[in-house]
Amino acid sequence: MSRIHLSSNRLLVLLAVFVPACLLTPCSADEGALLGFTQPNLTIKVAFSQPGRVKTLHVKEGQKVSQNALLAILDEGSLPLNLSIAQVRSDDVSAIQSAHAKSEALTTRLAELKRLQTAGGASPEETRRVATELDVARANESQAESEQAIQHLEVKRLELERDLHRLKAPFDSYVTEIHKRPGEYVSTSAPEVMELVQLDPLKIHFHVPV
């Protein structure tokens, strides 16, 4: 048996998959005809990585989809709301600005006290007290920056969790069969949602006599 790869007209290729048949009709040996059949390059069943109820389908059977195209979405529950809250907290820089302003004010105050202390116009105790307050203010500023960094990471974590609820096409393909409809539950024992086939290149198998 020999195998060749063809890149065909999309309509003819689609028909070749939905109507499996011999490429050439049986003929006599004198006419030199060969029997053959078509086969997709890849056939896969795509599934969610977690169980849940199908919320929406974005494709239909026979439709061509591009790589990374959205195929279906699982019910996300309160996830969109949690993501919105995390994004608001991540964008809030008021705590950092407040801590920074206090640090700047104490830095200026400490510099003035040191000049006064040199001239005998300020006590060492007051200078040490302001220096301590400045250290605390700088620590609070660093803590506010760390908390905002954590909020950025929380947004990324929720975005990754959201992606687990979204099924995307792994490559350019056609939807040949849909197994789950909106409202149906996707379980770990039956996770397949739909079947995809890759038709470019299209495989053709011939039965070649010795």
Side-chain angles (χ1 to χ4, degrees):
M1 177 185 298
S2 65
R3 178 181 298 174
I4 64 174
H5 299 270
L6 300 176
S7 296
S8 307
N9 177 272
R10 298 190 187 281
L11 178 59
L12 295 179
V13 168
L14 187 60
L15 290 175
V17 172
F18 283 98
V19 188
C22 292
L23 294 179
L24 300 175
T25 55
C27 303
S28 64
D30 295 339
E31 294 176 334
L34 298 176
L35 295 179
F37 61 92
T38 60
Q39 181 182 5
N41 184 51
L42 289 174
T43 300
I44 65 169
K45 292 182 178 180
V46 291
F48 289 102
S49 59
Q50 62 181 17
R53 193 174 305 279
V54 179
K55 180 180 179 181
T56 55
L57 282 177
H58 292 263
V59 295
K60 56 185 179 180
E61 292 182 353
Q63 180 178 336
K64 182 184 183 301
V65 294
S66 302
Q67 185 177 10
N68 294 324
L70 186 61
L71 304 176
I73 297 179
L74 280 182
D75 186 9
E76 298 173 327
S78 62
L79 179 59
L81 179 60
N82 294 335
L83 180 57
S84 298
I85 294 173
Q87 288 173 336
V88 171
R89 290 175 176 172
S90 176
D91 296 336
D92 184 12
V93 296
S94 59
I96 296 177
Q97 291 174 342
S98 176
H100 180 72
K102 189 171 184 179
S103 296
E104 289 291 323
L106 289 172
T107 299
T108 302
R109 176 61 177 163
L110 181 61
E112 292 175 352
L113 286 174
K114 287 181 178 180
R115 286 195 298 270
L116 290 174
Q117 184 179 351
T118 303
S123 65
E125 291 77 9
E126 186 177 3
T127 302
R128 286 194 295 269
R129 179 181 61 80
V130 174
T132 301
E133 291 179 358
L134 177 59
D135 290 339
V136 174
R138 287 173 175 171
N140 290 337
E141 183 179 359
S142 178
Q143 181 181 5
E145 292 173 347
S146 298
E147 289 177 353
Q148 188 184 39
I150 292 174
Q151 291 300 328
H152 284 308
L153 294 176
E154 177 67 11
V155 170
K156 292 183 179 179
R157 185 189 70 80
L158 291 173
E159 287 175 344
L160 291 175
E161 185 177 347
R162 179 190 60 187
D163 290 341
L164 295 178
H165 292 75
R166 300 189 175 191
L167 189 63
K168 296 183 178 181
F171 45 75
D172 294 347
S173 53
Y174 286 88
V175 181
T176 57
E177 187 176 0
I178 296 177
H179 302 292
K180 299 292 184 181
R181 301 289 176 176
E184 291 188 274
Y185 188 79
V186 178
S187 63
T188 53
S189 59
E192 296 87 1
V193 177
M194 62 186 67
E195 183 179 84
L196 303 178
V197 295
Q198 185 185 60
L199 305 182
D200 190 2
L202 178 67
K203 295 179 181 179
I204 304 179
H205 298 265
F206 290 103
H207 297 282
V208 181
V210 177

